[in-house]
Amino acid sequence: MDQAYTEIIVVRHGETAWNANGRIQGHMDVELNEVGRQQAALLADRLSLEPEISAIYSSDLKRALETAETIAERCGKFEVIKDPDLRERHLGDVQGLLFREAAKVCPEAYSAFSSRRTDQVIPGGGESLDQLYYRATSSLQRIGQKHTGERVVVVTHGGVIRALYRRACSNRFRGNILNTSVNIFHLSGNDVWTIKAWGDISHLNPPGHAMSGLGGNKTSG
């Protein structure tokens, strides 16, 4: 690899039961479901066939950590480095609620959660988008500086990946962040972030296999 940048493969965790049911996760520590474990295994198989990985980082929440550990086992038995700064946004009082019921059950928190204001915190200890942005981008910047000239994997959450996109592209990404989607960032020594790949889930339907139904198009978290 070019010694002038770090290649960081940022992936979202596999599916959870709460993703499947439309329940808001945030910092709630939810495990992968069986579909999520299959997604993680397919992602791990893919990454094991690609150029060498130097390190694997993960959010310390179970859904990300299990995804990362699956990759680590397949790619050389790495010890996963846990970083709480890679956690999903804390979503305050809407955590644990179904999306379809949140506005009725907790209208003030849901209004804050839905706000486009980047400085809007969420009642119940929730973070603003700006707080998430600073936390997430600082974490990735530290990883990039530590691994210049190397290729590393980071397993995290939908909200974090949106924040990283905002740092690289100076605007907000409004589409879906899919379960186990691959998003490749190049971080250069002169503080320039470039996205080289985005939203790739080709591993979930590999050539020669029937459509798996593991497409990962679930709510972020």
Side-chain angles (χ1 to χ4, degrees):
M1 270 188 56
D2 189 329
Q3 296 298 309
Y5 66 84
T6 308
E7 181 167 282
I8 305 181
I9 305 164
V10 179
V11 301
R12 186 184 173 209
H13 60 80
E15 184 184 287
T16 70
W18 285 26
N19 288 146
N21 295 336
R23 194 174 293 276
I24 300 169
Q25 295 182 121
H27 277 202
M28 304 295 280
D29 204 5
V30 185
E31 297 179 348
L32 297 181
N33 62 13
E34 187 54 38
V35 168
R37 294 187 180 97
Q38 292 178 53
Q39 291 170 336
L42 288 167
L43 172 61
D45 286 344
R46 168 188 174 163
L47 294 178
S48 73
L49 300 174
E50 295 184 359
E52 182 180 359
I53 294 166
S54 298
I56 300 175
Y57 289 79
S58 177
S59 157
D60 61 343
L61 296 176
K62 291 175 184 175
R63 56 193 184 273
L65 188 57
E66 185 178 350
T67 304
E69 288 173 342
T70 302
I71 296 167
E73 179 67 23
R74 189 72 177 82
C75 293
K77 300 186 185 301
F78 287 92
E79 181 177 349
V80 175
I81 302 166
K82 292 181 281 189
D83 184 351
D85 283 343
L86 293 170
R87 282 187 174 200
E88 180 59 284
R89 180 186 180 190
H90 194 302
L91 298 174
D93 287 339
V94 298
Q95 293 184 161
L97 301 180
L98 291 168
F99 272 98
R100 63 179 179 271
E101 297 176 355
K104 182 182 296 185
V105 172
C106 209
E108 182 182 357
Y110 184 79
S111 177
F113 167 62
S114 303
S115 174
R116 297 181 66 178
R117 283 180 46 193
T118 60
D119 62 348
Q120 175 67 63
V121 297
I122 303 173
E127 293 175 286
S128 69
L129 290 170
D130 286 340
Q131 289 170 326
L132 171 65
Y133 176 89
Y134 177 77
R135 169 167 65 79
T137 58
S138 296
S139 174
L140 206 72
Q141 190 70 51
R142 289 193 302 270
I143 293 168
Q145 291 170 348
K146 185 173 181 178
H147 294 280
T148 301
E150 298 177 345
R151 190 167 185 262
V152 302
V153 171
V154 168
V155 183
T156 184
H157 306 266
V160 170
I161 296 171
R162 291 176 190 279
L164 301 179
Y165 180 95
R166 178 180 161 199
R167 169 65 176 79
C169 298
S170 301
N171 56 42
R172 294 172 67 181
F173 179 75
R174 301 191 183 281
N176 290 322
I177 307 292
L178 307 181
N179 293 111
T180 69
S181 58
V182 171
N183 311 280
I184 300 177
F185 291 75
H186 284 183
L187 274 60
S188 70
N190 58 358
D191 204 29
V192 174
W193 291 29
T194 306
I195 295 176
K196 306 302 288 186
W198 185 257
D200 183 356
I201 56 167
S202 57
H203 51 281
L204 297 184
N205 289 296
H209 289 68
M211 292 295 287
S212 67
L214 303 177
N217 190 7
K218 301 294 182 181
T219 53
S220 291

